Amino acid sequence: AQSVAQPEDQVNVAEGNPLTVKCTYSVSGNPYLFWYVQYPNRGLQFLLKYITGDNLVKGSYGFEAEFNKSQTSFHLKKPSALVSDSALYFCAAQDPYRGSTLGRLYFGRGTQLTVWP
Amino acid sequence: ETGVTQTPRHLVMGMTNKKSLKCEQHLGHNAMYWYKQSAKKPLELMFVYSLEERVENNSVPSRFSPECPNSSHLFLHLHTLQPEDSALYLCASSQGVLGNTIYFGEGSWLTVV
């Protein structure tokens, strides 16, 4: 079975500093990995995904993520944090449902990012 | 902004009521999903429909009854719910092929009193 772990419930960083939100995964087969962000009282917004190819994936709002197969990690990063980046971040893995082509997501528990001015 | 629209955004219902959550996607996708987000658990997949046929029910109690009349609309019918069912219910859609992005709506906040 697929599983995703986000080891930190909370990450605090000062505005302008780099940020990292950690994610590790356990999947069978090739990993399909995603990051979503959730602002207060909102749904989930897609940030970026890794399917294949370059290990560094660039996404929305200046975020990027680094896929590391040997460490089974997919950490989310941003070179310079903004106060507006404060939100709940979810890492997810996708697998095929019962051998079909239909994909479904397994989520981590989420990491609350707070960026201080 | 979102291509997946959910109504109502907020719902308060008694344990003996019957209500429905509605979802509509404008993205031309062929798969739709219901997820449940509660405070103490990770996001849980409840139901998946592909080409209007239900392909997964993750042992969800029968007090939740989904309906997918066409590829653009998805309903979640609610009856005799329990207070522990209070949560954010998220609808999502995708072009249901592995690797394709799943897009979420804004969610419906449900409170059972």
Side-chain angles (χ1 to χ4, degrees):
Chain A
Q2 320 288 34
S3 67
V4 174
Q6 295 180 241
E8 300 160 316
D9 291 336
Q10 288 194 323
V11 169
N12 299 314
V13 64
E15 188 173 33
N17 283 1
L19 70 87
T20 299
V21 182
K22 296 180 180 177
C23 173
T24 59
Y25 64 89
S26 173
V27 304
S28 54
N30 294 322
Y32 296 85
L33 302 167
F34 295 75
W35 275 102
Y36 287 84
V37 60
Q38 185 176 34
Y39 296 98
N41 301 314
R42 305 293 296 275
L44 272 66
Q45 294 182 31
F46 167 71
L47 278 180
L48 52 79
K49 66 181 178 183
Y50 173 83
I51 304 300
T52 186
D54 289 341
N55 290 341
L56 187 63
V57 179
K58 293 189 183 297
S60 306
Y61 312 120
F63 283 94
E64 57 190 26
E66 186 172 9
F67 171 69
N68 187 316
K69 187 172 183 178
S70 63
Q71 297 185 5
T72 62
S73 66
F74 188 55
H75 300 332
L76 182 69
K77 300 181 179 184
K78 188 173 183 182
S80 178
L82 299 173
V83 172
S84 57
D85 293 330
S86 299
L88 187 57
Y89 289 80
F90 289 96
C91 183
Q94 192 183 61
D95 78 340
Y97 174 67
R98 293 185 181 174
S100 73
T101 60
L102 181 66
R104 60 179 176 177
L105 290 172
Y106 293 87
F107 285 91
R109 288 187 169 270
T111 298
Q112 179 65 47
L113 172 68
T114 301
V115 181
W116 300 97
Chain B
E1 176 183 306
T2 176
V4 181
T5 304
Q6 291 186 242
T7 55
R9 293 294 315 280
H10 298 272
L11 177 63
V12 179
M13 60 185 289
M15 288 190 285
T16 59
N17 291 159
K18 290 184 180 181
K19 298 285 185 183
S20 296
L21 305 180
K22 178 183 175 182
C23 177
E24 183 175 1
Q25 60 97 358
H26 313 277
L27 300 169
H29 290 160
N30 61 9
M32 296 188 76
Y33 310 76
W34 280 116
Y35 278 84
K36 176 183 178 182
Q37 185 178 21
S38 52
K40 299 186 186 292
K41 292 185 178 181
L43 278 147
E44 302 173 73
L45 178 63
M46 298 177 73
F47 300 103
V48 181
Y49 277 82
S50 176
L51 298 173
E52 303 159 37
E53 290 188 18
R54 189 166 72 192
V55 297
E56 174 147 333
N57 173 354
N58 277 339
S59 303
V60 177
S62 59
R63 58 186 183 268
F64 295 92
S65 174
E67 179 189 359
C68 188
N70 55 60
S71 60
S72 298
H73 294 87
L74 184 64
F75 295 88
L76 188 62
H77 303 301
L78 316 168
H79 61 98
T80 60
L81 295 190
Q82 304 298 310
E84 59 265 28
D85 297 322
S86 298
L88 178 65
Y89 289 85
L90 291 162
C91 176
S93 73
S94 74
Q95 198 59 28
V97 175
L98 190 64
N100 281 353
T101 301
I102 296 176
Y103 292 94
F104 287 81
E106 294 289 294
S108 293
W109 284 99
L110 172 66
T111 303
V112 182
V113 297

